Amino acid sequence: MTIDGIQIKNTKNIINEATRMCGLVYAPPKFGKTKFAATLNKLTLRLYNKPTLFIAVEAGEGGGTATIQEEAVDYVIPATKAELDKILAALQTDTQYAGVVLDSATETVNRYVKPFVLAMENKKESDPIRLFGVPVRSDYQMMGELMRMVSQRLINLTMLNKPNGEPDLERRKHVLITALEKVETEKDKVTKETHITAIGPDLPGAMMRTSTAMFQQVMSIQVEQTIERDPNDVRKAVRKSRRVVVTETDGVKILGDRFKVYPAVFEPDLDKAWELYWIPRIEASRQ
């Protein structure tokens, strides 16, 4: 069906073979964000025989990829924001990779976006602290907008089409962005107690909330602890912990899966998650 030559689609078919992951995952340091993101490489190699590219911007050797040495993931480290822009532009026409990970968005701001903004003249605020690398209020607005543009260019990789409007399966890519966790608080005017109002990705300006509206899946990683008791001796117990991915908000954390593919909690393995949750949804859309 069409309306004035424009094709009409139906929401029941949004999840199909052309659909790509479009996710953001945030968590405190050392919670396994990079290792979780690396499982996307395993998925794309199995599904499309194409690897995933890491845009690695964390501090340290390998841009933060040291924890995923065993996964043998391709990565690139931009030297400047201009190089980051060149990489994002090249990925628009690339057919070598089937997935892209930006690790992390928080460090992308610190290493590329913030220096870029501070190098610009700020006519609104001329506070001398800018000379020492400290942004002023209007700088945060600019930093947030530039990071929004970077995020949008990555999101666009999941929706690339051919000139005739059909999905370009050779160029479309799964996209995952990682970020550190940010806790927002406010003090009660009466009791003077400090309360947590929101937890989300550590991004400047309004991007903490804006980014969570841009991505289809907003996830976090948390550690669950359990106690296993010896059935033969109730006095003996072993405390065990495991990392899980969470997609359901608790009223404070900004989380959600707009595609409604993932459960509230699942194992941090995107390859397994594809088989368990995506395949049934794709098959259902064919019926």
Side-chain angles (χ1 to χ4, degrees), residues 97-196:
Y97 293 100
V100 177
V101 172
L102 177 65
D103 187 34
S104 72
T106 304
E107 195 60 21
T108 297
V109 172
N110 293 332
R111 291 191 64 184
Y112 310 122
V113 176
K114 183 168 75 172
F116 181 82
V117 170
L118 291 176
M120 301 169 60
E121 181 183 1
N122 189 326
K123 295 182 179 180
K124 290 184 178 180
E125 301 176 71
S126 57
D127 196 313
I129 63 172
R130 295 183 81 247
L131 300 175
F132 298 94
V134 180
V136 294
R137 183 169 57 181
S138 57
D139 288 329
Y140 283 102
Q141 295 172 351
M142 177 64 75
M143 288 159 55
E145 175 58 20
L146 288 175
M147 193 59 216
R148 186 198 65 79
M149 294 170 65
V150 169
S151 299
Q152 187 61 62
R153 294 180 75 178
L154 284 163
I155 292 170
N156 289 344
L157 298 176
T158 69
M159 304 180 294
L160 295 172
N161 290 333
K162 297 178 181 178
N164 62 3
E166 294 180 1
D168 193 329
L169 301 184
E170 287 299 310
R171 292 191 299 130
R172 281 195 177 193
K173 296 167 179 59
H174 296 287
V175 167
L176 182 64
I177 292 181
T178 71
L180 288 176
E181 182 178 278
K182 181 178 181 180
V183 179
E184 282 192 351
T185 61
E186 68 176 11
K187 183 175 288 188
D188 190 285
K189 295 180 180 180
V190 178
T191 65
K192 306 302 181 183
E193 295 180 348
T194 300
H195 302 282
I196 296 175

Side-chain angles (χ1 to χ4, degrees), residues 26 180-187 194-203 205-210 212 220 249-255:
Y26 66 87
L180 288 176
E181 182 178 278
K182 181 178 181 180
V183 179
E184 282 192 351
T185 61
E186 68 176 11
K187 183 175 288 188
T194 300
H195 302 282
I196 296 175
T197 56
I199 300 175
D202 188 1
L203 294 172
M207 270 301 286
M208 173 181 166
R209 287 178 170 80
T210 300
T212 60
S220 184
T249 183
D250 57 3
V252 177
K253 279 194 171 184
I254 308 174
L255 300 170

Side-chain angles (χ1 to χ4, degrees), residues 14-15 19-22 216-217 257-262 278 281:
I14 287 178
I15 307 297
T19 309
R20 297 294 184 262
M21 294 184 197
C22 179
Q216 304 292 359
Q217 296 96 21
D257 177 13
R258 195 174 290 144
F259 282 165
K260 299 181 180 179
V261 172
Y262 298 126
W278 282 84
R281 285 293 303 279

Side-chain angles (χ1 to χ4, degrees), residues 16-83:
N16 54 62
E17 295 89 342
T19 309
R20 297 294 184 262
M21 294 184 197
C22 179
L24 183 156
V25 57
Y26 66 87
K30 309 301 182 185
F31 264 57
K33 297 182 295 297
T34 302
K35 289 187 72 69
F36 170 57
T39 63
L40 182 58
N41 186 60
K42 183 170 59 173
L43 170 65
T44 59
L45 283 172
R46 182 175 63 83
L47 286 183
Y48 317 107
N49 197 30
K50 294 182 180 181
T52 287
L53 178 68
F54 258 64
I55 304 176
V57 301
E58 293 285 347
E61 186 66 33
T65 59
T67 58
I68 56 172
Q69 299 173 60
E70 298 81 4
E71 281 76 5
V73 178
D74 288 352
Y75 70 93
V76 61
I77 305 176
T80 62
K81 183 182 179 299
E83 283 197 6

